[in-house]
Amino acid sequence: MQKVCWLLAVLVAVGLLGWAQAGTSLVLEKPASLADVSLTVFGDSAYAPAIMRATNSKALVDHSFARISRLDEILPAGAKLWVPDATWAKAFLAVWDPNRVEDLFGGGKLVVGSWWTTGGEAEGLEALFDLYRSRYPDVLIVNATVAGGAGFVFKAVVKPRIIAGDPPDTFQLHAGLEVEGYSPEIYLRPLDDLYTIFGWDKVLPSDLLDMIRYKGHYWGVPVNIHRSNVLWYNKEIFARYDLTPPTSWDEFFAICETLKKAGVIPVIIGNAGGWEVAHLFEDILAGVLSPDEYRGLWTGETPWTHPGVARALEILKRIMEYANVDYPAHTWDTALDYFVVDKGAMHIMGDWAMGWFMAKQIDYKVGWAPVPGTKGVFVALSDTFAFPKRAANPINVLSWLEVCGSKEGQIAFNMRKGSIPARTDITPEEKAQFNPYLQSCMEDWARDAIVPSVMHGAAAPESWVVDFKDAINLFLVTKDVASTQAALMAAAQAALGK
Ligand code: GAL
């Protein structure tokens, strides 16, 4: 706010507290138009629509605020307005379509599409919703989740809706090449202007910005960074058999033998979602190959004939011999019940598993280590929210993205989700609020070699991800290394056009 003159009396200035939309409450001392107020506050009359919208939003939940029915209305002395902060006001003007008068009245819905339904996922999402509601209580949030880890079910549901012109207002989208499957130039709104206005291009790591940028534009606002390559182990079982976390596959299989003899399931797996074993395979690849070799698999620089690919398949085949036999019937999270009741010892999964452990309040018995061979390597992915061009409630989406990209939003969300904030401006005091795993993850993210996850959208377009996943699922049946390697090679050739 640049200046406030005799036209207005300032009542309260909120915004730093994070408990209401950032802005200021003003009472007119004499009759004025919104353009007058905008000129007085911002030095520019153009922000009148933003003030109208913000005031009408407030009026829906607090009747002391003016209800404004026309942009050119002369408001009486004594009218109480809510003037949003300059950042939101600018973002409003960037998003608002002047043909959409309905967006000036506040309220409406915010339909949020995601696949976050399990322990940790649901809690993280709810934390974002809580923060959103505290800032925008006039908006009704519709939680349009579709269950199914890694989003394979959700993605199949949301794409036809987007094409049919009936998208959710905003939806979960992995950072990386996954966006290609949404034909973003046709269906999504590029977010470059919002990145500049909210300063996200300054507070997000450059690796991540590169991942989100596709065809020169940003298509989603990240809420987190997840790590794919974590070996979770049951500390009580490990203590009982005097085991230490494995650092190599040889050590890993030695532990498996000990546990098998003792009647404990060495490796807990659920593959009912169809992606979980393929996820395990990407982690094995990331340890068997060097970071550059692994990255090269997705760019064509490392041939899929590489002996490391065959070795990774051999390792996977062997791991499956130590898994719970009912793995096809379990998803990643239901399989973890073996962990809870101390019947299963190790689980290789992304760190959303930590969100699940926290939600079940059993994180005290969980130890973690990098997947064997991946010490110093961080297999990364990030969840973003996208903005469909046909969103029915665009201003509510703008406010949602503001919350997603904010520090408050990222702290509240990630503490429950098991991921770390994508923002780089987390202070040591804020970091200290996270649990020990998440703190160690922040350190690894800053130090390790970062390589992209394939199963979670970062490394390859969706068509390739699906071919990769299918090849690994067939491998579970055939156990044939040579034909699987050939199928992986063919998938790469199809995707890279070679
Ligand atoms: C990933 C997603 C995570 C987590 C996981 C399991 O694809 O990025 O946020 O939810 O799936 O559903």
Side-chain angles (χ1 to χ4, degrees):
M1 184 171 313
Q2 286 147 9
K3 56 181 176 168
V4 177
C5 73
W6 52 271
L7 189 65
L8 319 159
V10 182
L11 281 186
V12 240
V14 211
L16 300 175
L17 303 178
W19 297 118
Q21 178 185 15
T24 312
S25 177
L26 297 172
V27 174
L28 296 182
E29 294 199 334
K30 59 178 234 175
S33 68
L34 286 170
D36 293 335
V37 177
S38 174
L39 188 62
T40 306
V41 176
F42 296 113
D44 184 342
S45 59
Y47 296 97
I51 302 172
M52 175 165 166
R53 161 69 192 222
T55 301
N56 278 335
S57 286
K58 283 275 175 195
L60 286 172
V61 286
D62 177 347
H63 299 315
S64 69
F65 282 90
R67 189 91 184 111
I68 308 168
S69 43
R70 284 198 341 262
L71 247 184
D72 57 358
E73 196 172 318
I74 302 296
L75 301 162
K80 188 171 154 195
L81 310 181
W82 186 261
V83 180
D85 73 357
T87 305
W88 192 90
K90 265 192 209 144
F92 177 92
L93 282 197
V95 169
W96 183 54
D97 170 357
N99 295 316
R100 286 182 52 106
V101 176
E102 65 268 37
D103 287 342
L104 299 178
F105 292 92
K109 290 194 286 192
L110 174 72
V111 181
V112 181
S114 81
W115 58 88
W116 286 333
T117 56
T118 64
E121 296 182 336
E123 283 79 1
L125 185 58
E126 202 51 44
L128 276 179
F129 288 167
D130 282 347
L131 184 60
Y132 186 92
R133 286 188 200 104
S134 72
R135 293 187 185 178
Y136 304 98
D138 54 311
V139 176
L140 176 72
I141 295 175
V142 178
N143 184 1
T145 52
V146 179
F152 287 97
V153 187
F154 173 77
K155 287 184 256 182
V157 170
V158 81
K159 281 182 188 166
R161 283 191 60 181
I162 293 173
I163 292 167
D166 178 31
D169 289 309
T170 181
F171 69 95
Q172 186 184 351
L173 167 71
H174 285 127
L177 286 173
E178 184 170 297
V179 72
E180 188 179 294
Y182 289 92
S183 304
E185 298 104 310
I186 304 174
Y187 296 112
L188 303 183
R189 185 190 187 285
L191 303 175
D192 309 359
D193 48 359
L194 298 185
Y195 266 68
T196 309
I197 293 169
F198 287 109
W200 296 323
D201 49 352
K202 305 273 179 325
V203 293
L204 294 172
S206 58
D207 276 347
L208 181 60
L209 288 170
D210 290 346
M211 234 191 240
I212 298 170
R213 209 181 299 108
Y214 172 76
K215 295 205 171 162
H217 299 291
Y218 298 117
W219 301 101
V221 177
V223 284
N224 66 356
I225 288 158
H226 260 309
R227 182 176 195 160
S228 147
N229 56 319
V230 189
L231 170 79
W232 306 100
Y233 62 92
N234 183 316
K235 285 200 286 197
E236 288 167 20
I237 296 178
F238 266 52
R240 195 180 312 146
Y241 299 103
D242 200 17
L243 302 170
T244 48
T247 59
S248 67
W249 288 111
D250 285 344
E251 286 175 24
F252 178 89
F253 289 121
I255 292 171
C256 287
E257 269 305 304
T258 306
L259 292 169
K260 194 174 178 181
K261 283 193 191 111
V264 175
I265 299 167
V267 192
I268 303 164
I269 296 183
N271 198 42
W275 59 274
E276 296 92 331
V277 174
H279 172 121
L280 167 56
F281 184 61
E282 84 176 17
D283 288 342
I284 303 170
L285 277 177
V288 167
L289 301 175
S290 72
D292 277 342
E293 287 168 341
Y294 171 88
R295 286 188 201 106
L297 288 174
W298 312 108
T299 60
E301 277 159 57
T302 306
W304 283 80
T305 48
H306 193 291
V309 176
R311 178 159 152 64
L313 286 166
E314 293 290 359
I315 292 170
L316 177 60
K317 186 156 98 178
R318 217 168 143 201
I319 293 175
M320 297 312 292
E321 289 165 17
Y322 294 104
N324 43 303
V325 287
D326 60 353
Y327 75 83
H330 279 291
T331 53
W332 69 271
D333 53 313
T334 63
L336 279 173
D337 286 341
Y338 285 121
F339 198 102
V340 177
V341 296
D342 297 333
K343 286 193 171 160
M346 295 185 282
H347 184 61
I348 289 176
M349 186 44 65
D351 47 12
W352 42 91
M354 177 46 86
W356 191 91
F357 294 131
M358 288 190 290
K360 304 285 170 199
Q361 299 182 334
I362 57 155
D363 42 321
Y364 67 91
K365 67 166 159 188
V366 180
W368 61 88
V371 170
T374 66
K375 188 169 165 45
V377 179
F378 193 117
V379 186
L381 59 128
S382 167
D383 296 300
T384 78
F385 278 90
F387 191 158
K389 276 191 184 147
R390 302 280 297 271
N393 300 287
I395 303 307
N396 296 344
V397 180
L398 155 67
S399 305
W400 170 252
L401 297 181
E402 176 214 355
V403 168
C404 290
S406 71
K407 207 192 230 201
E408 296 86 343
Q410 299 208 351
I411 291 175
F413 172 75
N414 287 296
M415 278 174 44
R416 292 162 183 85
K417 180 67 170 67
S419 41
I420 58 174
R423 293 179 64 114
T424 52
D425 57 351
I426 302 299
T427 64
E429 295 71 36
E430 288 160 347
K431 180 178 166 193
Q433 297 172 36
F434 286 79
N435 81 4
Y437 166 74
L438 290 168
Q439 291 191 38
S440 77
C441 186
M442 290 180 201
E443 283 148 26
D444 291 345
W445 166 253
R447 191 177 43 206
D448 285 1
I450 308 298
V451 301
S453 158
V454 61
M455 287 317 292
H456 306 279
E462 187 78 359
S463 50
W464 191 357
V465 176
V466 170
D467 285 350
F468 175 88
K469 177 170 76 87
D470 290 350
I472 296 303
N473 283 327
L474 189 59
F475 178 65
L476 292 179
V477 182
T478 65
K479 312 255 185 356
D480 184 334
V481 170
S483 69
T484 306
Q485 186 164 12
L488 291 170
M489 211 157 49
Q493 278 165 353
L496 295 167
K498 289 184 186 162

